[in-house]
Amino acid sequence: QVQLQQWGAGLLKPSETLSLTCAVYGGSFNGYYWGWIRQPPGKGLECIGETNTNGDTNYNPSLKSRVIISVDTSKSQFSLRLSSLTAADTAMYYCARVVLTSHYFDVWGKGTTVTVSS
Amino acid sequence: QSGLTQPASVSGSPGQSITISCTGIINDVGTYNLISWYQQFPGKAPQVVIYELTERPSGISNRFSGSKSGNTASLTISGLRTEDEADYYCSSYTDRSNFVVFGGGTKLTVL
């Protein structure tokens, strides 16, 4: 059974860069797309972007200028970097496996709380 | 990137059926059946309960069903149970950005 374990810094200052990593255990890593989703406190979900194991990426147009999603197939891990942070980036960040043909997320990490505050 | 529109809240009594709507546009819900529904309990990650408009993942009760009419998708939960009380989010593929867009979420209260 596939499990995702994620980690990264939880408290950042405005203008800093968020860096999160997600490791995949218990299943195949290659051949899938892997994505990041965030949820501001008390609000809805927002897709940030996704990558496949070849490094092909697709980003939310509203975040594209600040986002980089990368993949390390040797470690079965993928990572998110989001730059030029503001308070509006405060959210729970989830990593997830993407079923690309159907465009949904079938396995989720537990989430990482990221707070942007001076 | 505009999101899908859901009611903020719905409620029902145990045993009843409820329906949650999800309204989009021709570029997403109106054209594609790549519509998913997620259930989220407080403090937990979302879990998919419907994908490809009507399909249920293994382990999801057949009390959950999906449908669509025009630009509006719907999630119906029949035989409502107290454990169904959660937030529900719809999502759809959109060809405006070749990406996925979510609804704002609906809080289901089982009275």
Short mmCIF file of all heavy atoms in Angstrom, two decimals, chain B residues 30-79:
data_model
loop_
_atom_site.label_atom_id
_atom_site.label_comp_id
_atom_site.label_asym_id
_atom_site.label_seq_id
_atom_site.Cartn_x
_atom_site.Cartn_y
_atom_site.Cartn_z
N GLY B 30 -18.77 21.36 -17.77
CA GLY B 30 -19.69 21.28 -18.89
C GLY B 30 -19.26 20.37 -20.02
O GLY B 30 -20.09 19.88 -20.78
N THR B 31 -17.96 20.13 -20.13
CA THR B 31 -17.45 19.33 -21.25
C THR B 31 -16.86 18.00 -20.82
O THR B 31 -16.97 17.01 -21.55
CB THR B 31 -16.37 20.12 -22.02
OG1 THR B 31 -16.95 21.29 -22.59
CG2 THR B 31 -15.70 19.30 -23.10
N TYR B 32 -16.25 17.96 -19.67
CA TYR B 32 -15.50 16.78 -19.27
C TYR B 32 -16.17 16.04 -18.11
O TYR B 32 -16.77 16.65 -17.23
CB TYR B 32 -14.07 17.19 -18.86
CG TYR B 32 -13.34 17.94 -19.94
CD1 TYR B 32 -13.30 19.33 -19.96
CD2 TYR B 32 -12.71 17.25 -20.98
CE1 TYR B 32 -12.66 20.02 -20.97
CE2 TYR B 32 -12.06 17.92 -21.98
CZ TYR B 32 -12.04 19.31 -21.98
OH TYR B 32 -11.40 19.99 -22.99
N ASN B 33 -16.02 14.72 -18.13
CA ASN B 33 -16.49 13.90 -17.00
C ASN B 33 -15.34 13.60 -16.04
O ASN B 33 -15.41 12.67 -15.25
CB ASN B 33 -17.09 12.59 -17.52
CG ASN B 33 -18.42 12.82 -18.18
OD1 ASN B 33 -19.09 13.83 -17.96
ND2 ASN B 33 -18.83 11.90 -19.03
N LEU B 34 -14.29 14.41 -16.10
CA LEU B 34 -13.13 14.23 -15.22
C LEU B 34 -13.38 14.99 -13.93
O LEU B 34 -12.65 15.90 -13.54
CB LEU B 34 -11.88 14.72 -15.94
CG LEU B 34 -11.58 13.99 -17.25
CD1 LEU B 34 -10.40 14.61 -17.97
CD2 LEU B 34 -11.34 12.51 -16.98
N ILE B 35 -14.46 14.59 -13.26
CA ILE B 35 -14.95 15.24 -12.05
C ILE B 35 -14.76 14.30 -10.89
O ILE B 35 -15.10 13.12 -10.97
CB ILE B 35 -16.43 15.62 -12.21
CG1 ILE B 35 -16.59 16.65 -13.33
CG2 ILE B 35 -17.00 16.15 -10.88
CD1 ILE B 35 -17.99 16.74 -13.87
N SER B 36 -14.20 14.84 -9.81
CA SER B 36 -13.94 14.04 -8.61
C SER B 36 -14.56 14.73 -7.41
O SER B 36 -14.77 15.94 -7.41
CB SER B 36 -12.44 13.89 -8.38
OG SER B 36 -11.78 13.37 -9.51
N TRP B 37 -14.84 13.92 -6.40
CA TRP B 37 -15.35 14.42 -5.12
C TRP B 37 -14.48 13.88 -4.00
O TRP B 37 -14.11 12.70 -4.00
CB TRP B 37 -16.79 13.97 -4.91
CG TRP B 37 -17.77 14.63 -5.81
CD1 TRP B 37 -18.20 14.21 -7.03
CD2 TRP B 37 -18.49 15.85 -5.54
NE1 TRP B 37 -19.12 15.09 -7.56
CE2 TRP B 37 -19.32 16.10 -6.66
CE3 TRP B 37 -18.51 16.76 -4.48
CZ2 TRP B 37 -20.16 17.22 -6.73
CZ3 TRP B 37 -19.33 17.86 -4.55
CH2 TRP B 37 -20.15 18.09 -5.67
N TYR B 38 -14.15 14.76 -3.05
CA TYR B 38 -13.30 14.41 -1.92
C TYR B 38 -14.05 14.66 -0.61
O TYR B 38 -14.77 15.64 -0.48
CB TYR B 38 -12.01 15.24 -1.93
CG TYR B 38 -11.16 15.00 -3.16
CD1 TYR B 38 -11.38 15.72 -4.32
CD2 TYR B 38 -10.15 14.05 -3.15
CE1 TYR B 38 -10.61 15.50 -5.46
CE2 TYR B 38 -9.37 13.82 -4.29
CZ TYR B 38 -9.62 14.55 -5.43
OH TYR B 38 -8.86 14.32 -6.55
N GLN B 39 -13.82 13.78 0.33
CA GLN B 39 -14.35 13.91 1.69
C GLN B 39 -13.19 14.27 2.61
O GLN B 39 -12.12 13.65 2.53
CB GLN B 39 -14.96 12.57 2.12
CG GLN B 39 -15.48 12.51 3.54
CD GLN B 39 -15.85 11.07 3.89
OE1 GLN B 39 -15.02 10.17 3.89
NE2 GLN B 39 -17.12 10.83 4.18
N GLN B 40 -13.38 15.25 3.46
CA GLN B 40 -12.32 15.66 4.39
C GLN B 40 -12.87 15.84 5.79
O GLN B 40 -13.77 16.65 6.01
CB GLN B 40 -11.66 16.96 3.92
CG GLN B 40 -10.46 17.36 4.78
CD GLN B 40 -9.79 18.64 4.33
OE1 GLN B 40 -10.45 19.56 3.84
NE2 GLN B 40 -8.47 18.72 4.47
N PHE B 41 -12.29 15.08 6.72
CA PHE B 41 -12.63 15.24 8.14
C PHE B 41 -11.68 16.27 8.74
O PHE B 41 -10.56 16.46 8.26
CB PHE B 41 -12.53 13.91 8.86
CG PHE B 41 -13.51 12.89 8.36
CD1 PHE B 41 -13.10 11.79 7.64
CD2 PHE B 41 -14.87 13.02 8.62
CE1 PHE B 41 -14.00 10.85 7.18
CE2 PHE B 41 -15.79 12.10 8.16
CZ PHE B 41 -15.35 11.01 7.42
N PRO B 42 -12.11 16.92 9.85
CA PRO B 42 -11.26 17.96 10.47
C PRO B 42 -9.88 17.44 10.81
O PRO B 42 -9.74 16.37 11.42
CB PRO B 42 -12.05 18.33 11.73
CG PRO B 42 -13.47 18.03 11.38
CD PRO B 42 -13.42 16.81 10.50
N GLY B 43 -8.86 18.18 10.39
CA GLY B 43 -7.48 17.82 10.70
C GLY B 43 -6.92 16.67 9.89
O GLY B 43 -5.80 16.21 10.17
N LYS B 44 -7.66 16.21 8.89
CA LYS B 44 -7.22 15.08 8.08
C LYS B 44 -7.06 15.49 6.62
O LYS B 44 -7.62 16.48 6.17
CB LYS B 44 -8.23 13.93 8.16
CG LYS B 44 -8.43 13.39 9.56
CD LYS B 44 -7.17 12.73 10.09
CE LYS B 44 -7.42 12.07 11.44
NZ LYS B 44 -6.18 11.46 11.99
N ALA B 45 -6.30 14.68 5.89
CA ALA B 45 -6.17 14.90 4.46
C ALA B 45 -7.46 14.48 3.74
O ALA B 45 -8.17 13.60 4.22
CB ALA B 45 -4.99 14.11 3.90
N PRO B 46 -7.77 15.10 2.61
CA PRO B 46 -8.93 14.67 1.83
C PRO B 46 -8.78 13.23 1.35
O PRO B 46 -7.67 12.71 1.21
CB PRO B 46 -8.94 15.64 0.65
CG PRO B 46 -8.16 16.82 1.12
CD PRO B 46 -7.10 16.26 2.03
N GLN B 47 -9.93 12.62 1.07
CA GLN B 47 -9.97 11.27 0.53
C GLN B 47 -10.97 11.27 -0.63
O GLN B 47 -12.09 11.78 -0.47
CB GLN B 47 -10.43 10.28 1.61
CG GLN B 47 -10.69 8.87 1.09
CD GLN B 47 -11.33 7.96 2.13
OE1 GLN B 47 -10.89 6.83 2.30
NE2 GLN B 47 -12.34 8.43 2.82
N VAL B 48 -10.58 10.69 -1.76
CA VAL B 48 -11.49 10.67 -2.90
C VAL B 48 -12.62 9.68 -2.66
O VAL B 48 -12.40 8.55 -2.21
CB VAL B 48 -10.72 10.36 -4.22
CG1 VAL B 48 -10.10 8.97 -4.19
CG2 VAL B 48 -11.61 10.55 -5.42
N VAL B 49 -13.85 10.10 -2.95
CA VAL B 49 -15.00 9.21 -2.82
C VAL B 49 -15.66 8.94 -4.19
O VAL B 49 -16.36 7.95 -4.35
CB VAL B 49 -16.05 9.75 -1.83
CG1 VAL B 49 -15.49 9.76 -0.42
CG2 VAL B 49 -16.54 11.14 -2.23
N ILE B 50 -15.44 9.83 -5.15
CA ILE B 50 -15.94 9.66 -6.51
C ILE B 50 -14.87 10.20 -7.47
O ILE B 50 -14.29 11.26 -7.22
CB ILE B 50 -17.25 10.42 -6.75
CG1 ILE B 50 -18.39 9.84 -5.93
CG2 ILE B 50 -17.61 10.43 -8.25
CD1 ILE B 50 -18.92 8.49 -6.41
N TYR B 51 -14.63 9.46 -8.57
CA TYR B 51 -13.75 9.98 -9.63
C TYR B 51 -14.40 9.67 -10.98
O TYR B 51 -15.30 8.83 -11.07
CB TYR B 51 -12.34 9.40 -9.53
CG TYR B 51 -12.25 7.91 -9.77
CD1 TYR B 51 -11.94 7.41 -11.03
CD2 TYR B 51 -12.47 7.01 -8.73
CE1 TYR B 51 -11.86 6.05 -11.26
CE2 TYR B 51 -12.40 5.65 -8.95
CZ TYR B 51 -12.09 5.16 -10.21
OH TYR B 51 -12.01 3.81 -10.44
N GLU B 52 -13.93 10.34 -12.00
CA GLU B 52 -14.52 10.19 -13.34
C GLU B 52 -16.04 10.26 -13.28
O GLU B 52 -16.73 9.44 -13.87
CB GLU B 52 -14.06 8.89 -13.99
CG GLU B 52 -12.62 8.93 -14.46
CD GLU B 52 -12.23 7.65 -15.21
OE1 GLU B 52 -13.11 6.89 -15.64
OE2 GLU B 52 -11.01 7.45 -15.36
N LEU B 53 -16.55 11.23 -12.58
CA LEU B 53 -17.97 11.57 -12.45
C LEU B 53 -18.78 10.58 -11.62
O LEU B 53 -19.57 10.98 -10.77
CB LEU B 53 -18.61 11.73 -13.84
CG LEU B 53 -20.08 12.17 -13.87
CD1 LEU B 53 -20.26 13.54 -13.22
CD2 LEU B 53 -20.64 12.16 -15.28
N THR B 54 -18.61 9.26 -11.88
CA THR B 54 -19.50 8.28 -11.25
C THR B 54 -18.78 7.11 -10.61
O THR B 54 -19.43 6.27 -9.99
CB THR B 54 -20.47 7.70 -12.30
OG1 THR B 54 -19.72 7.04 -13.32
CG2 THR B 54 -21.35 8.78 -12.92
N GLU B 55 -17.47 7.04 -10.75
CA GLU B 55 -16.75 5.87 -10.27
C GLU B 55 -16.39 5.99 -8.79
O GLU B 55 -16.00 7.05 -8.32
CB GLU B 55 -15.46 5.67 -11.09
CG GLU B 55 -15.71 5.46 -12.57
CD GLU B 55 -16.53 4.21 -12.83
OE1 GLU B 55 -16.16 3.14 -12.31
OE2 GLU B 55 -17.55 4.31 -13.55
N ARG B 56 -16.55 4.86 -8.07
CA ARG B 56 -16.19 4.83 -6.66
C ARG B 56 -14.92 4.01 -6.45
O ARG B 56 -14.82 2.88 -6.94
CB ARG B 56 -17.32 4.20 -5.84
CG ARG B 56 -18.42 5.15 -5.46
CD ARG B 56 -19.53 4.45 -4.67
NE ARG B 56 -20.32 3.56 -5.52
CZ ARG B 56 -20.23 2.23 -5.51
NH1 ARG B 56 -19.38 1.64 -4.71
NH2 ARG B 56 -20.99 1.52 -6.30
N PRO B 57 -13.95 4.56 -5.71
CA PRO B 57 -12.75 3.76 -5.39
C PRO B 57 -13.13 2.57 -4.53
O PRO B 57 -14.19 2.56 -3.86
CB PRO B 57 -11.87 4.74 -4.60
CG PRO B 57 -12.40 6.10 -4.91
CD PRO B 57 -13.85 5.92 -5.16
N SER B 58 -12.27 1.57 -4.53
CA SER B 58 -12.47 0.42 -3.67
C SER B 58 -12.59 0.86 -2.22
O SER B 58 -11.80 1.67 -1.75
CB SER B 58 -11.29 -0.55 -3.84
OG SER B 58 -11.37 -1.61 -2.93
N GLY B 59 -13.59 0.34 -1.53
CA GLY B 59 -13.78 0.65 -0.13
C GLY B 59 -14.73 1.79 0.16
O GLY B 59 -15.10 2.01 1.33
N ILE B 60 -15.15 2.51 -0.88
CA ILE B 60 -16.12 3.59 -0.69
C ILE B 60 -17.53 3.03 -0.83
O ILE B 60 -17.83 2.32 -1.80
CB ILE B 60 -15.88 4.72 -1.71
CG1 ILE B 60 -14.48 5.32 -1.49
CG2 ILE B 60 -16.95 5.80 -1.58
CD1 ILE B 60 -14.25 5.91 -0.12
N SER B 61 -18.38 3.40 0.09
CA SER B 61 -19.75 2.89 0.14
C SER B 61 -20.52 3.27 -1.12
O SER B 61 -20.36 4.36 -1.67
CB SER B 61 -20.46 3.46 1.36
OG SER B 61 -21.84 3.16 1.32
N ASN B 62 -21.41 2.36 -1.54
CA ASN B 62 -22.26 2.65 -2.70
C ASN B 62 -23.37 3.64 -2.35
O ASN B 62 -24.23 3.94 -3.17
CB ASN B 62 -22.84 1.38 -3.31
CG ASN B 62 -23.67 0.59 -2.32
OD1 ASN B 62 -23.97 1.05 -1.22
ND2 ASN B 62 -24.05 -0.63 -2.69
N ARG B 63 -23.36 4.16 -1.13
CA ARG B 63 -24.27 5.25 -0.77
C ARG B 63 -23.83 6.56 -1.41
O ARG B 63 -24.60 7.51 -1.46
CB ARG B 63 -24.34 5.40 0.75
CG ARG B 63 -24.88 4.19 1.48
CD ARG B 63 -25.03 4.46 2.98
NE ARG B 63 -23.75 4.77 3.63
CZ ARG B 63 -23.43 5.99 4.05
NH1 ARG B 63 -24.27 7.00 3.89
NH2 ARG B 63 -22.25 6.19 4.64
N PHE B 64 -22.59 6.59 -1.89
CA PHE B 64 -22.05 7.78 -2.55
C PHE B 64 -22.20 7.61 -4.06
O PHE B 64 -21.78 6.59 -4.62
CB PHE B 64 -20.58 7.99 -2.21
CG PHE B 64 -20.33 8.37 -0.79
CD1 PHE B 64 -20.27 7.42 0.21
CD2 PHE B 64 -20.17 9.71 -0.43
CE1 PHE B 64 -20.05 7.77 1.53
CE2 PHE B 64 -19.94 10.08 0.88
CZ PHE B 64 -19.89 9.10 1.87
N SER B 65 -22.79 8.60 -4.72
CA SER B 65 -22.93 8.53 -6.18
C SER B 65 -22.76 9.91 -6.79
O SER B 65 -23.01 10.94 -6.13
CB SER B 65 -24.28 7.94 -6.57
OG SER B 65 -25.33 8.76 -6.10
N GLY B 66 -22.33 9.94 -8.05
CA GLY B 66 -22.11 11.20 -8.74
C GLY B 66 -22.90 11.28 -10.02
O GLY B 66 -23.23 10.25 -10.63
N SER B 67 -23.20 12.51 -10.43
CA SER B 67 -23.95 12.73 -11.66
C SER B 67 -23.63 14.13 -12.17
O SER B 67 -22.92 14.90 -11.52
CB SER B 67 -25.45 12.58 -11.44
OG SER B 67 -25.90 13.55 -10.50
N LYS B 68 -24.19 14.45 -13.36
CA LYS B 68 -23.93 15.76 -13.95
C LYS B 68 -25.08 16.14 -14.86
O LYS B 68 -25.67 15.29 -15.54
CB LYS B 68 -22.62 15.73 -14.75
CG LYS B 68 -22.21 17.08 -15.31
CD LYS B 68 -20.89 16.97 -16.07
CE LYS B 68 -21.07 16.44 -17.47
NZ LYS B 68 -19.83 16.59 -18.28
N SER B 69 -25.38 17.44 -14.88
CA SER B 69 -26.33 17.99 -15.83
C SER B 69 -25.81 19.34 -16.27
O SER B 69 -25.68 20.27 -15.45
CB SER B 69 -27.72 18.14 -15.19
OG SER B 69 -28.61 18.74 -16.10
N GLY B 70 -25.49 19.44 -17.55
CA GLY B 70 -24.94 20.70 -18.05
C GLY B 70 -23.63 21.06 -17.37
O GLY B 70 -22.71 20.24 -17.33
N ASN B 71 -23.56 22.25 -16.83
CA ASN B 71 -22.35 22.71 -16.16
C ASN B 71 -22.33 22.42 -14.66
O ASN B 71 -21.46 22.94 -13.94
CB ASN B 71 -22.18 24.23 -16.36
CG ASN B 71 -21.88 24.60 -17.80
OD1 ASN B 71 -21.46 23.76 -18.60
ND2 ASN B 71 -22.12 25.85 -18.15
N THR B 72 -23.29 21.63 -14.19
CA THR B 72 -23.37 21.34 -12.76
C THR B 72 -23.25 19.84 -12.48
O THR B 72 -24.01 19.04 -13.00
CB THR B 72 -24.69 21.86 -12.18
OG1 THR B 72 -24.75 23.29 -12.33
CG2 THR B 72 -24.79 21.53 -10.69
N ALA B 73 -22.26 19.52 -11.65
CA ALA B 73 -22.10 18.15 -11.17
C ALA B 73 -22.72 18.04 -9.79
O ALA B 73 -22.89 19.05 -9.09
CB ALA B 73 -20.62 17.80 -11.10
N SER B 74 -23.06 16.82 -9.40
CA SER B 74 -23.69 16.61 -8.09
C SER B 74 -23.15 15.37 -7.43
O SER B 74 -22.87 14.36 -8.09
CB SER B 74 -25.21 16.49 -8.24
OG SER B 74 -25.78 17.66 -8.76
N LEU B 75 -23.03 15.45 -6.12
CA LEU B 75 -22.70 14.31 -5.28
C LEU B 75 -23.94 14.01 -4.43
O LEU B 75 -24.43 14.91 -3.74
CB LEU B 75 -21.51 14.60 -4.37
CG LEU B 75 -21.20 13.54 -3.32
CD1 LEU B 75 -20.64 12.28 -3.98
CD2 LEU B 75 -20.22 14.07 -2.27
N THR B 76 -24.41 12.78 -4.49
CA THR B 76 -25.55 12.37 -3.67
C THR B 76 -25.08 11.34 -2.66
O THR B 76 -24.37 10.40 -3.01
CB THR B 76 -26.68 11.79 -4.52
OG1 THR B 76 -27.15 12.80 -5.43
CG2 THR B 76 -27.83 11.32 -3.65
N ILE B 77 -25.46 11.56 -1.41
CA ILE B 77 -25.20 10.59 -0.35
C ILE B 77 -26.56 10.11 0.13
O ILE B 77 -27.37 10.91 0.62
CB ILE B 77 -24.41 11.21 0.81
CG1 ILE B 77 -23.14 11.90 0.30
CG2 ILE B 77 -24.03 10.12 1.82
CD1 ILE B 77 -22.36 12.65 1.38
N SER B 78 -26.80 8.83 -0.02
CA SER B 78 -28.08 8.26 0.41
C SER B 78 -27.91 7.55 1.74
O SER B 78 -26.78 7.21 2.14
CB SER B 78 -28.60 7.30 -0.65
OG SER B 78 -27.68 6.26 -0.86
N GLY B 79 -29.01 7.33 2.44
CA GLY B 79 -28.95 6.65 3.72
C GLY B 79 -27.95 7.33 4.65
O GLY B 79 -27.09 6.67 5.24
#
